[in-house]
């Protein structure tokens, strides 16, 4: 476990167990050098506790990079709640998790993520003040989708000279809160959609409302499209899927899209433009951080729209240096965090 923490650059790894409520929680804090660590709370099923720790560890570093590149005064963290396989009181479990967060004394601010709802954040808020995305604040998903949409436009413009999406074909994987919102924005901009999701009700909705073409979940990678937009879970750019891709751009909301670091370079070698996930999907984090700080909605939206500008600058640098976008983005984030470390030491 300690080797895993060192490899990921984690500051802290916290575990909590509450047999009375069924809580089994992991909080991975990557960095607090730029401020309190902020990141969502997942509530999903895992095959093993080791898988849950690995997920939290991988995601925490991405949150630090996301906050650094977005210019937010925060470090990154991620919480994972292992969903019980027996009956449980959801409110009681979330309140127990809130006490766990409160015990960290403000080092970590929690928020919504896969499997959690605004009502869960309300329950957590009963036992800690270090929470956002409550019903009073709202769901960050629309802001994540806004940033992804701006990122797709920036990628299309970089390749074709115009950010118009009229007639652009997007293969979109995952129709959850963020994925469906992205699909709606793309449809309203004149894009053609091919979609997949394990939930056929969501797929049918996209077909009926957005004129999308549906394909099986294992066929979405091979769709001939301008953009592949992954909006599900992570590690979907891997040795197997990468060989199937028939697109010019990978740009979507999923976290940890690359199974391994070298897959970013392999995308570049195949002349596929990659929008690093922790840059293009930063809209949700921008929302929760700025809402927690009491910023106005207009200021938050303006900040989210800058995601496209940041990606355009990254794409230009990658072309000039003939390097992969993922590595350059990593270096930028690490430099920002390192500067914070030097400032803290001084």
């Amino acid at each position: 476990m300690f080797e895993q923490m060192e490899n990921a650059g984690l500051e802290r790894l916290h575990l909590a167990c509450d047999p009375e409520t069924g809580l089994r929680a992991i909080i991975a804090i990557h960095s607090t050098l730029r401020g309190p660590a902020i990141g969502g709370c997942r509530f999903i099923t895992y095959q093993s506790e080791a898988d849950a720790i690995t997920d939290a560890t991988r995601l925490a570093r991405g949150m630090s990079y996301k906050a650094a590149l977005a210019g937010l005064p925060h470090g990154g963290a991620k919480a994972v709640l292992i969903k019980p396989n027996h009956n449980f009181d959801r409110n009681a479990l979330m309140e127990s998790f809130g006490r766990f967060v409160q015990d960290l004394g403000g080092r970590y601010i929690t928020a919504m993520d896969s499997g959690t709802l605004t009502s869960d954040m309300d329950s957590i808020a009963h036992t800690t003040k270090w929470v956002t995305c409550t019903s009073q604040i709202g769901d960050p998903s629309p802001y994540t989708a806004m940033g992804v949409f701006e990122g797709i436009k920036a990628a299309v413009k970089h390749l074709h000279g115009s950010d118009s999406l009229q007639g652009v074909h997007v293969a979109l994987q995952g129709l959850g809160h963020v994925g469906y919102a992205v699909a709606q924005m793309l449809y309203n901009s004149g894009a053609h959609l091919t979609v997949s999701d394990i939930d056929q009700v969501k797929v049918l909705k996209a077909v009926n409302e957005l004129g999308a073409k549906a394909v099986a979940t294992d066929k979405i990678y091979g769709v001939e499209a301008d953009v592949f937009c992954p909006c599900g879970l992570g590690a979907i750019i891997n040795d197997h899927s990468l060989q199937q891709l028939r697109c010019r751009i990978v740009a979507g909301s999923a976290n940890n899209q690359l199974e391994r670091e070298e897959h970013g370079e392999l995308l570049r070698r195949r002349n596929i433009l990659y929008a690093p996930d922790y840059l293009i999907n930063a809209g949700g984090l921008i929302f929760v951080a700025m809402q927690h700080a009491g910023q106005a909605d207009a200021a938050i939206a303006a900040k989210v729209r800058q995601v496209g500008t940041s990606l355009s600058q990254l794409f230009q640098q990658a072309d000039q240096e003939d390097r992969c976008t993922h590595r350059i983005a990593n270096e930028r984030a690490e430099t920002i965090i390192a500067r914070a470390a030097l400032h803290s030491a001084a």
Side-chain angles (χ1 to χ4, degrees), residues 78-245:
K78 186 67 74 169
V80 162
L81 277 59
I82 301 174
K83 195 169 187 177
N85 56 8
H86 53 76
N87 291 332
F88 63 95
D89 184 328
R90 188 173 183 121
N91 288 334
L93 187 148
M94 293 299 168
E95 288 181 359
S96 180
F97 175 66
R99 287 188 285 272
F100 179 25
V101 173
Q102 184 67 19
D103 287 343
L104 299 183
R107 291 189 186 93
Y108 168 59
I109 301 168
T110 197
M112 281 177 61
D113 205 308
S114 301
T116 51
L117 309 167
T118 53
S119 57
D120 295 326
M121 300 302 110
D122 289 343
S123 296
I124 293 168
H126 291 159
T127 51
T128 185
K129 66 179 180 179
W130 306 110
V131 58
T132 184
C133 299
T134 61
S135 57
Q136 289 184 329
I137 292 174
D139 183 353
S141 298
Y143 289 87
T144 304
M146 182 193 302
V148 172
F149 178 69
E150 293 296 329
I152 291 173
K153 289 198 298 180
V156 169
K157 183 176 181 178
H158 185 74
L159 289 187
H160 302 299
S162 170
D163 65 0
S164 171
L165 299 180
Q166 187 69 41
V168 170
H169 185 188
V170 180
L172 194 148
Q173 177 192 50
L175 292 166
H177 290 303
V178 175
Y180 201 86
V182 172
Q184 288 176 311
M185 292 179 185
L186 292 169
Y187 170 75
N188 291 335
S189 296
H192 301 308
L193 298 171
T194 299
V195 302
S196 71
D197 194 287
I198 58 174
D199 187 337
Q200 290 306 301
V201 173
K202 295 177 180 177
V203 171
L204 184 60
K205 182 180 178 183
V207 170
N208 291 334
E209 294 183 358
L210 309 177
K213 177 183 178 182
V215 296
T217 55
D218 61 342
K219 300 297 183 183
I220 191 70
Y221 305 104
V223 172
E224 187 170 355
D226 299 293
V227 182
F228 172 55
C229 182
C231 295
L233 297 179
I236 45 72
I237 302 297
N238 50 55
D239 291 339
H240 180 66
S241 65
L242 201 148
Q243 296 305 315
Q244 300 177 61
L245 291 178

